[in-house]
Amino acid sequence: MHTELELTTAPEVPIEAECLSPAKIKGLSQSGIEHLAMMHGNRKVRVGDFFRVTGNGQSSLRLEGDLSRVKYIGAGMKEGEVRVNGSAGMHLGAGMSGGVIRVSGDASDWVGPEMSGGRIEVMGNAGHMVGSAYRGQRVGIMGGEILIHGNVKNELGSAMRRGLIAVGGQAGDFVGVNMRAGTIVVMGGMGIRAGAGMVRGSIISFEPVELLPTFTYSCWLRPTFLRFYLCHLGQSGFEIDDDHMGGRYRRYCGDSVEENRGEILVFDSR
Amino acid sequence: MSETKTPEAAKDEPNIRIVEDATCTFCGCVCDDMELTVDLDANRITKAKNACVLGRAWFLQHGIEDHPQAMIDGREVPLEEAMDEAARILHEAKFPITYGLSDSPCEAQRVAVAINDLVLGNIDTTTSVCHGPSGIAFQGVGESTSTLGEVKNRADLVIYWGGNPAESHPRHFTRYTVTPKGRYIPNGKKDRYVVLIDVRKTPSAPVADQLIRVKPGRDFELLWALRALVRGRDVDPDIEKITGVSREVLDELVERMKNCNFGVLFFGMGLTMTRGRHFNSGALLALATDLNKYTHFVAKPVRGHGNVTGADNVVSWQTGYPFGVNFHRGYPRFNPGEYTTVDLLARGDADAALMIATDPASNFPKRAIEHLKKIPVISLDAKPTYTSRQARVAFMVATYGINTGGTVYRMDDVPITLRPAFDSPFPTDEEVLTGIHTRLKKLRANGRKKAA
Amino acid sequence: MAENGTELRIKGGKVYDPANGIDGEVRDVLVRDGRIVDKVSEKARTFNIPGMVVMPGGIDIHCHIAGPKVNLSRKLQPEDHRLDVHPGTDVTRSGVGGVTPSVPPLAARHVIEEFHDTPVIDKGFYVLLGNNMFLYDLLKQGRKQDFKDAIAWWVTAARAASVKLVNAGSDEFWKGRRNENVTDVNEKIDPFDLTPLHATAAFIEAVDELNMPHPAHIHCNNLGHSGNFQTTLDTMKAAEGHRAHIAHIQFHSYAGELGKRVQTGSEAIIDYINTHENITTDIGMVMFGKATAMTADAPLTWMLRFKDTKWINADTECESGCGVMPFEYQDTNYTHTMQWAIGLELFLLSQDPWRVMFSTDHPNGASFRTYPRLIRLLMDRGFRAEMMKQVNQKAISNCLLPQLDREYSLYEIAIITRAAPARALGLANKGHLGVGADADITIYTDDENRERMFNAPRYVIKAGKPIIEDHEFVDDHIGRFLHTEPEYDSAIEDQIRPFFDDYYSIRFNNYRVDASYLHDHEVIPLRNSGNGRKKKGK
């Protein structure tokens, strides 16, 4: 059983809707859900003003329509499921600690900021700052998984501390900038300056990467841990070929501006 | 307010007035040693002693235009009516934005923030398109900095990165940083070593003892390598191929930086607005901070607009954040990229705009301009602009620093009071904004009464 | 300003008004036109508050709430504000809190501008002169009278309430000698041929002789270092015969060896203060949690910097330095616990609440929002014992705190948070509820849990106007700006002007804060000018 909300009125300006999360709707009646408050620009509105609600509050939530201007979907989620059939706006899954968000279309900037657990899957593309710290924060996501099947823009996983971020397509510049720890896998190539300021953690690229002058080649290897990660990603719908699974990776360590304890693994050959 | 005197020679010409120690607001240098000769009959400044070539043009070309004070849809209306209409637009909007502010005195900036607090709007300054990246970088790493006088008194190593002050801030070298003699720099330029780091040889190069040319778009790599070397770490032997600068030059520069007595890194938009943006500024600020382990080292962005620094300060003390501030929820929130004007216009987020002393219709990206054309715009400017011509409500205001007083902040956060030269028939932007603010308060109170 | 004719009768509360010797007596407080009066008409609005506690409005003698440093700190910490938001209401503007004034004169205009946007409270600032190059030149040349005149000129030009010295002499070490710091108050400051102690003593003497309402406000050298209590004692001894205020003395009361663990030096410090009437002090207490190191003592923040913590250094030409850095006091940490304990020890050993005042050096020791908890720690032995169990035990076993069982009374709290700072600042009409005083009144619901009690005042009346009623903001108020105007021979300007031409980057004529910035302000009278208040209108 799930609760279905269909966006029937297109918003004139962006909507902020932290209430679109299982924790907020579970146990509510249909009209209770319709009366939940959202922000439409600077005006307080009700869910019912924009969405057609079907069913009462379940721990599984299905959102229909173009929600690319609806911000904070699934914010603060601890359990349950949110499925977006369409696109989602900024701050998707902000601060979530458990549960699953699936988006069939694209996501915007700031996917999973301040996340500590759970999983976000985006079938399409996502914007800047996926799995990143907000401005001024020294530490980004503390755990969980963010899986983007399409492309992402700049600053993927900035300052992340723990968790897994995977991108099926391309990533922009500054992948894993200021990373503290955790794992980032990018399958379709990445922009420049990956790992700038990284302290620890692993960045894996299937494609060749232009590295900063503060990263140095250390060795090649066939990392066992990566097989486990890639198996897991394969089960999550990514296409992983055998070359990448068992292949040889060149290991670069850096950033020497920091403690030189991070690594970038670049696929080399079978 | 302004100190005026009639010199002996001008006694027969009672309509000549001399304003001493006036301030030029043309650029972020905010030089406060202008001596203006004003012809009060002609409403013109005829001489601007001490001004640079840009400042002279700013003062001497300023006249009073024959132009309505206020227009709605291009039609002249009384000021009051225009303020009514502006207030109505802002009151009814669901996502009103305010942008500009960098060429207004702080007194007007304060009212602009108050308006946004009241209408639950979104306020942003031109910082977001010039040194906004430096602001973001600052939040990440902090900053070691100083006032310009400290540079004059103490700096024996002066480095410019990605800026061309000879053309953009002509007196930066001569008044503050290179040529002046200071307390511990008795011989001026002779006692300093000046390095210019840029992608090309600019007209600023002759001032420098050394020009280091970096490959375009490789500033971050160069800064990052310098940081590693300062910390005694190694860098890629191919560094010259990557950045265009040889290891020898880098090593020499690192030694020079570590061994100076007081070093300063100035940086411009060549650094902040190229690929990498806030990371470029962040790398530079971090480099300056790292160097404090060895000696005294500071960094300073070379700011463009006359009072962009004031805007940063005012918005910060009223909201806690320097630019890109949103009030939709009744309290200030900050998120560059989300609440910065170019980005939110390009996404089509705003439904009304208050543009203060800025011309986005001429210099924003196309998508942002297109959205701007779709929404009601209120503009305040001292001259007609693309934005004011397209605006629903356009106010012509007096020019700050020439016709009105107030406070501006120099690029190094030093506040300076303006001394206006002659009167203007146009209202000040503070007056217009205060008029709008008062009306908004009434509209809000009426709204509450209706609700009750 | 209070509207004319507004009358209030505050009826039946227990009044604590130490300046007038009133200790919890049940009596009415009457208000008209923003002042305390002895009679009001029948029409007066009555607040019936039996059982509640009435005190004069609080006075904070040392709190960084505005100015360039505070603003840098705001810009530095967006991640801090996000967690603490305050929506606007019909009467208040919105804002953000979190952990957020002394001011170099070059930035005086900034602080006054910012004060205009700081609601409700009256406020003034101390001007930083303790590293002023021109003044050091005069000292070096032995020109005592010029030195005094120049100090008075600077206070007047900046519109300050008094003079503050911060780590006197350190600027040359920090800016001129590659980030060094003063380590010994008897060390020569190159190129001035002076020692920090000479300079400090000269300032203390000059400010006192200028009859400024508040004496030199001193942040001693060697802040935060083990063994620094000796420096503090030396500084106080140098003040002998003159009034001096030693700021946030907790940070300057450390025994132990330099570079080694901090030990408590509270006894030696407070014994000296107890026996020397010329000294006033505020404690600068530490409370665990987030704070921000924010000081003109830039070398100090560099010393405190851990790994790559974001850090601001901002040099002001010819005048001062500045450092800002986020900081957190942890109850598991030996040093932090020691600092917390020393602050309490100093209070509990103090014999004269009129000279030992309350502060956290906000936001350095803690945010001002921790005041209620700190007050409870002073008033409630049991609470103190409870808290001592939860902190670093090594520190507790090394300090005096467990042996001290004194509890502050409400009367004493009213002294250290109201009456004493008002007196020390020379504010004759503040900090008490006698006839003629400004009607700044705070009313609390009496509660054995003093933290809960002081956390949320039931009523706040400012200049005769109710601002908070039943814990809620009901009105706004624009406070007054307080400053002083010591006398000087204007010939000194001819000495200062050329120095500006040579070494400053702004013109002499543009330096002084002109009257257009003052709006509603009040000149605090000099000590020799009797009790009369010189007041200027809007």
Side-chain angles (χ1 to χ4, degrees):
Chain A
M1 275 299 287
H2 61 256
T3 314
E4 188 172 306
L5 279 84
E6 187 187 351
L7 185 72
T8 49
T9 308
E12 296 165 49
V13 296
I15 283 181
E16 294 182 11
E18 295 91 332
C19 60
L20 300 181
S21 156
K24 302 281 167 57
I25 66 157
K26 200 176 163 187
L28 292 182
S29 66
Q30 182 170 320
S31 99
I33 298 170
E34 284 166 349
H35 277 82
L36 285 171
M38 313 186 293
M39 296 300 292
H40 180 223
N42 57 15
R43 306 298 157 98
K44 270 204 182 104
V45 293
R46 307 265 172 224
V47 166
D49 299 340
F50 289 85
F51 289 91
R52 178 165 52 227
V53 181
T54 313
N56 48 16
Q58 306 289 328
S59 61
S60 173
L61 180 61
R62 185 161 297 174
L63 303 171
E64 301 281 342
D66 177 11
L67 281 81
S68 57
R69 302 183 90 187
V70 181
K71 299 178 183 178
Y72 294 102
I73 295 169
M77 240 173 109
K78 293 185 176 65
E79 55 182 2
E81 185 195 39
V82 175
R83 205 177 265 265
V84 183
N85 285 324
S87 292
M90 289 179 178
H91 310 284
L92 177 72
M96 77 186 280
S97 56
V100 180
I101 298 176
R102 289 201 173 82
V103 178
S104 69
D106 297 337
S108 185
D109 304 334
W110 290 281
V111 173
E114 303 191 318
M115 188 176 182
S116 59
R119 180 200 282 195
I120 301 175
E121 282 181 46
V122 177
M123 299 314 291
N125 301 324
H128 295 292
M129 314 289 294
V130 172
S132 289
Y134 281 128
R135 299 298 177 201
Q137 283 177 332
R138 288 188 73 77
V139 176
I141 66 167
M142 299 290 284
E145 292 179 11
I146 300 177
L147 312 176
I148 312 286
H149 288 265
N151 304 326
V152 300
K153 295 179 181 165
N154 295 342
E155 291 186 58
L156 177 73
S158 96
M160 76 183 280
R161 174 81 168 271
R162 208 173 290 134
L164 169 66
I165 301 176
V167 174
Q170 282 183 352
D173 295 350
F174 288 101
V175 168
V177 60
N178 297 328
M179 198 171 168
R180 314 267 133 176
T183 307
I184 298 176
V185 181
V186 179
M187 303 176 193
M190 56 176 80
I192 56 176
R193 300 164 185 171
M198 78 189 289
V199 179
R200 285 192 312 272
S202 305
I203 298 172
I204 294 104
S205 175
F206 287 1
E207 299 291 331
V209 184
E210 186 198 316
L211 292 169
L212 284 169
T214 50
F215 280 76
T216 41
Y217 175 71
S218 58
C219 61
W220 66 264
L221 72 169
R222 298 180 192 274
T224 316
F225 88 93
L226 189 58
R227 272 184 231 187
F228 287 100
Y229 273 77
L230 295 180
C231 273
H232 172 70
L233 290 174
Q235 285 158 8
S236 307
F238 286 90
E239 274 182 42
I240 313 283
D241 59 41
D242 291 347
D243 288 357
H244 291 135
M245 191 75 85
R248 190 171 128 144
Y249 288 78
R250 290 171 70 81
R251 180 180 187 272
Y252 296 85
C253 62
D255 186 329
S256 73
V257 167
E258 293 298 330
E259 301 301 312
N260 226 2
R261 276 149 56 195
E263 62 178 5
I264 298 182
L265 303 174
V266 184
F267 176 71
D268 183 46
S269 58
R270 296 178 49 190
Chain B
M1 289 273 297
S2 63
E3 283 193 13
T4 318
K5 71 177 185 197
T6 310
E8 295 301 312
K11 262 189 178 154
D12 302 331
E13 303 263 356
N15 281 332
I16 295 290
R17 170 204 218 186
I18 306 287
V19 185
E20 282 188 339
D21 296 324
T23 297
C24 171
T25 53
F26 184 79
C27 80
C29 278
V30 193
C31 300
D32 69 333
D33 60 344
M34 302 292 120
E35 190 184 308
L36 305 178
T37 307
V38 188
D39 180 343
L40 291 171
D41 287 332
N43 274 344
R44 284 228 163 257
I45 295 165
T46 54
K47 213 172 137 194
K49 198 176 147 194
N50 293 338
C52 67
V53 53
L54 301 174
R56 263 201 307 281
W58 163 250
F59 284 117
L60 302 188
Q61 287 170 16
H62 180 80
I64 299 296
E65 292 194 43
D66 184 20
H67 196 278
Q69 287 187 336
M71 297 197 288
I72 295 181
D73 290 331
R75 157 179 67 83
E76 180 169 359
V77 295
L79 193 58
E80 306 285 308
E81 190 183 327
M83 293 199 275
D84 288 344
E85 177 65 3
R88 188 194 61 78
I89 291 168
L90 294 172
H91 181 67
E92 287 173 4
K94 296 187 178 77
F95 200 134
I97 62 167
T98 299
Y99 175 74
L101 290 169
S102 310
D103 278 314
S104 298
C106 295
E107 289 74 4
Q109 292 166 347
R110 283 160 56 189
V111 186
V113 181
I115 285 176
N116 278 277
D117 199 352
L118 197 63
V119 301
L120 308 179
N122 190 99
I123 190 162
D124 187 31
T125 74
T126 60
T127 286
S128 71
V129 299
C130 61
H131 273 282
S134 314
I136 297 172
F138 172 85
Q139 289 162 355
V141 299
E143 177 183 45
S144 173
T145 191
S146 81
T147 61
L148 291 168
E150 204 73 87
V151 175
K152 160 171 136 173
N153 284 328
R154 296 180 190 270
D156 57 348
L157 175 63
V158 180
I159 304 173
Y160 281 88
W161 197 308
N164 177 16
E167 290 187 310
S168 63
H169 298 74
R171 293 184 83 206
H172 208 256
F173 292 145
T174 53
R175 183 161 150 82
Y176 302 114
T177 64
V178 176
T179 39
K181 293 175 180 162
R183 176 95 174 191
Y184 300 105
I185 306 288
N187 306 308
K189 185 170 185 305
K190 269 190 223 145
D191 292 340
R192 308 183 206 266
Y193 190 81
V194 181
V195 182
L196 192 71
I197 302 175
D198 212 329
V199 294
R200 63 195 169 93
K201 192 171 175 187
T202 65
S204 296
V207 172
D209 296 290
Q210 185 183 5
L211 170 69
I212 296 176
R213 286 180 65 167
V214 56
K215 276 192 187 170
R218 291 302 181 187
D219 301 87
F220 182 85
E221 283 73 11
L222 186 59
L223 280 163
W224 220 240
L226 285 170
R227 277 196 77 193
L229 293 171
V230 165
R231 292 185 165 205
R233 312 276 162 74
D234 213 4
V235 299
D236 195 325
D238 279 346
I239 190 73
E240 184 165 5
K241 232 163 72 191
I242 302 171
T243 62
V245 182
S246 73
R247 178 64 191 264
E248 291 69 43
V249 170
L250 280 178
D251 285 338
E252 193 201 326
L253 181 62
V254 165
E255 284 313 300
R256 203 180 283 287
M257 291 193 294
K258 281 160 94 169
N259 292 312
C260 70
N261 284 320
F262 189 114
V264 57
L265 270 160
F266 287 108
F267 59 109
M269 280 164 62
L271 188 68
T272 65
M273 280 292 142
T274 51
R275 189 167 173 185
R277 296 169 43 120
H278 61 275
F279 290 114
N280 297 347
S281 331
L284 185 136
L285 294 178
L287 174 63
T289 298
D290 289 350
L291 283 161
N292 275 281
K293 231 185 211 150
Y294 304 93
T295 186
H296 201 78
F297 222 100
V298 299
K300 193 85 232 169
V302 180
R303 306 298 304 265
H305 292 276
N307 198 25
V308 65
T309 309
D312 286 1
N313 273 298
V314 169
V315 178
S316 289
W317 85 58
Q318 293 211 351
T319 74
Y321 309 108
F323 62 95
V325 180
N326 182 288
F327 287 97
H328 283 173
R329 292 257 162 129
Y331 50 82
R333 292 182 297 174
F334 168 75
N335 200 16
E338 185 174 8
Y339 303 134
T340 35
T341 310
V342 171
D343 307 277
L344 60 82
L345 282 176
R347 281 192 304 268
D349 286 352
D351 65 350
L354 171 61
M355 295 294 179
I356 303 169
T358 183
D359 190 14
S362 78
N363 57 30
F364 268 18
K366 203 165 150 241
R367 278 180 67 189
I369 293 176
E370 272 164 20
H371 185 69
L372 208 51
K373 283 180 184 161
K374 293 182 201 151
I375 61 174
V377 172
I378 302 152
S379 99
L380 275 72
D381 214 312
K383 56 192 180 303
T385 62
Y386 285 100
T387 306
S388 74
R389 278 180 213 118
Q390 293 170 18
R392 164 108 179 105
V393 186
F395 296 95
M396 182 86 164
V397 294
T399 301
Y400 81 134
I402 295 183
N403 304 126
T404 75
T407 312
V408 299
Y409 284 65
R410 202 167 64 189
M411 63 172 79
D412 55 350
D413 295 298
V414 173
I416 296 172
T417 311
L418 302 176
R419 300 173 190 278
F422 59 93
D423 291 338
S424 157
F426 300 112
T428 65
D429 36 11
E430 185 189 359
E431 283 161 359
V432 173
L433 292 171
T434 305
I436 297 173
H437 187 233
T438 312
R439 284 164 174 76
L440 281 165
K441 278 203 272 195
K442 270 191 208 135
L443 286 170
R444 228 177 96 104
N446 290 343
R448 269 205 308 276
K449 256 183 236 154
K450 258 186 220 160
Chain C
M1 299 276 0
E3 295 111 84
N4 277 342
T6 307
E7 293 186 318
L8 307 174
R9 178 192 300 275
I10 295 155
K11 202 173 163 188
K14 290 180 279 184
V15 176
Y16 292 85
D17 180 10
N20 295 303
I22 297 165
D23 182 8
E25 198 181 303
V26 175
R27 56 194 287 161
D28 294 354
V29 177
L30 309 175
V31 173
R32 187 171 60 234
D33 298 344
R35 294 284 170 75
I36 307 287
V37 292
D38 52 6
K39 224 185 283 167
V40 290
S41 71
E42 291 296 296
K43 288 179 295 182
R45 183 173 167 204
T46 301
F47 290 85
N48 256 318
I49 53 154
M52 291 191 205
V53 170
V54 180
M55 288 189 183
I59 311 276
D60 205 322
I61 196 160
H62 189 108
C63 181
H64 304 254
I65 57 160
K69 283 197 288 282
V70 181
N71 224 20
L72 283 169
S73 165
R74 289 187 190 109
K75 289 187 224 172
L76 183 68
Q77 301 180 74
E79 73 282 9
D80 191 27
H81 313 313
R82 267 189 63 237
L83 308 174
D84 180 24
V85 296
H86 300 274
T89 67
D90 289 345
V91 289
T92 59
R93 291 275 297 275
S94 67
V96 288
V99 223
T100 56
S102 42
V103 181
L106 188 56
R109 208 170 273 123
H110 176 153
V111 78
I112 297 172
E113 274 209 292
E114 204 178 306
F115 276 165
H116 292 324
D117 289 337
T118 309
V120 185
I121 56 176
D122 298 336
K123 49 254 153 187
F125 68 95
Y126 310 127
V127 65
L128 291 165
L129 295 181
N131 281 294
N132 184 301
M133 249 182 205
F134 179 77
L135 294 172
Y136 273 69
D137 280 346
L138 294 181
L139 278 182
K140 180 184 178 183
Q141 293 155 15
R143 291 156 62 188
K144 252 180 139 176
Q145 186 55 42
D146 284 350
F147 177 72
K148 243 164 76 176
D149 283 332
I151 288 177
W153 178 84
W154 245 291
V155 168
T156 310
R159 312 283 182 172
S162 190
V163 171
K164 185 172 175 192
L165 314 184
V166 171
N167 195 3
S170 65
D171 249 31
E172 283 307 323
F173 289 77
W174 176 244
K175 301 173 184 172
R177 284 204 221 158
R178 300 181 169 205
N179 293 359
E180 288 184 11
N181 194 1
V182 170
T183 51
D184 180 349
V185 286
N186 293 311
E187 188 174 356
K188 278 261 188 315
I189 312 164
D190 189 46
F192 297 109
D193 201 29
L194 280 170
T195 69
L197 203 57
H198 283 141
T200 304
F203 276 103
I204 291 171
E205 184 185 334
V207 175
D208 192 23
E209 286 176 0
L210 282 165
N211 284 310
M212 283 203 231
H214 183 58
H217 193 99
I218 300 155
H219 161 143
C220 296
N221 303 97
N222 281 331
L223 186 149
H225 291 280
S226 296
N228 67 4
F229 79 108
Q230 202 55 53
T231 300
T232 313
L233 288 173
D234 288 345
T235 307
M236 291 195 285
K237 284 175 191 156
E240 222 141 278
H242 294 285
R243 295 174 300 140
H245 182 90
I246 309 293
H248 41 68
I249 202 162
Q250 177 275 127
F251 290 105
H252 304 272
S253 302
Y254 305 151
E257 253 176 82
L258 184 65
K260 299 244 173 82
R261 278 204 154 149
V262 168
Q263 308 293 338
T264 178
S266 57
E267 256 181 321
I269 292 290
I270 203 72
D271 282 352
Y272 185 92
I273 294 172
N274 283 338
T275 52
H276 290 79
E277 294 271 328
N278 62 321
I279 303 290
T280 56
T281 188
D282 62 88
I283 297 297
M285 297 173 91
V286 156
M287 189 67 223
F288 305 108
K290 276 198 89 168
T292 300
M294 177 193 296
T295 171
D297 193 345
L300 170 76
T301 57
W302 179 251
M303 178 192 88
L304 289 174
R305 187 166 180 251
F306 176 71
K307 280 193 174 166
D308 286 347
T309 310
K310 50 192 183 182
W311 171 72
I312 296 173
N313 167 65
D315 307 330
T316 303
E317 63 209 52
C318 311
E319 293 176 356
S320 180
C322 159
V324 179
M325 195 183 59
F327 197 78
E328 186 165 355
Y329 291 99
Q330 293 163 339
D331 55 12
T332 49
N333 180 297
Y334 173 88
T335 308
H336 300 172
T337 301
M338 204 56 160
Q339 293 177 298
W340 171 79
I342 291 171
L344 290 166
E345 286 173 11
L346 288 162
F347 264 127
L348 298 173
L349 293 167
S350 153
Q351 287 166 6
D352 186 355
W354 288 95
R355 292 189 293 111
V356 179
M357 297 163 231
F358 192 86
S359 80
T360 62
D361 188 16
H362 166 90
N364 287 291
S367 159
F368 52 58
R369 291 190 297 190
T370 63
Y371 287 4
R373 170 159 285 207
L374 287 165
I375 289 175
R376 185 174 179 203
L377 283 167
L378 292 176
M379 296 189 72
D380 184 340
R381 174 164 57 208
F383 180 58
R384 215 154 57 212
E386 218 28 65
M387 198 146 169
M388 265 188 273
K389 287 185 200 153
Q390 295 159 21
V391 299
N392 183 294
Q393 291 306 302
K394 192 145 221 162
I396 292 299
S397 63
N398 268 353
C399 71
L400 304 172
L401 191 58
Q403 302 153 36
L404 303 173
D405 57 4
R406 175 172 174 193
E407 289 182 332
Y408 268 63
S409 65
L410 277 176
Y411 188 71
E412 286 171 314
I413 293 294
I415 298 175
I416 63 174
T417 60
R418 278 116 166 124
R423 184 178 289 182
L425 290 166
L427 303 171
N429 301 303
K430 294 205 177 288
H432 72 99
L433 297 172
V435 169
D438 291 343
D440 301 345
I441 306 164
T442 325
I443 300 167
Y444 302 99
T445 311
D446 201 357
D447 187 332
E448 252 177 64
N449 180 337
R450 300 304 188 188
E451 182 178 358
R452 204 157 54 203
M453 168 172 165
F454 283 97
N455 240 328
R458 185 76 174 264
Y459 299 93
V460 171
I461 291 157
K462 174 70 203 166
K465 190 158 75 169
I467 301 293
I468 290 177
E469 290 185 32
D470 281 329
H471 307 300
E472 299 291 337
F473 271 94
V474 293
D475 206 347
D476 196 9
H477 177 76
I478 298 181
R480 235 176 294 159
F481 174 62
L482 307 169
H483 61 111
T484 193
E485 289 180 349
E487 287 154 14
Y488 60 91
D489 177 355
S490 60
I492 193 67
E493 294 187 6
D494 299 330
Q495 309 285 328
I496 301 173
R497 193 186 306 265
F499 186 87
F500 267 75
D501 293 342
D502 289 344
Y503 302 131
Y504 270 88
S505 62
I506 91 169
R507 303 286 292 165
F508 179 78
N509 283 339
N510 288 333
Y511 184 81
R512 191 187 168 105
V513 178
D514 70 57
S516 68
Y517 286 88
L518 296 179
H519 301 257
D520 186 16
H521 68 120
E522 183 176 327
V523 178
I524 312 168
L526 298 176
R527 279 167 67 88
N528 56 355
S529 62
N531 252 350
R533 89 161 52 194
K534 261 202 271 175
K535 186 163 174 286
K536 294 184 179 168
K538 266 191 180 184

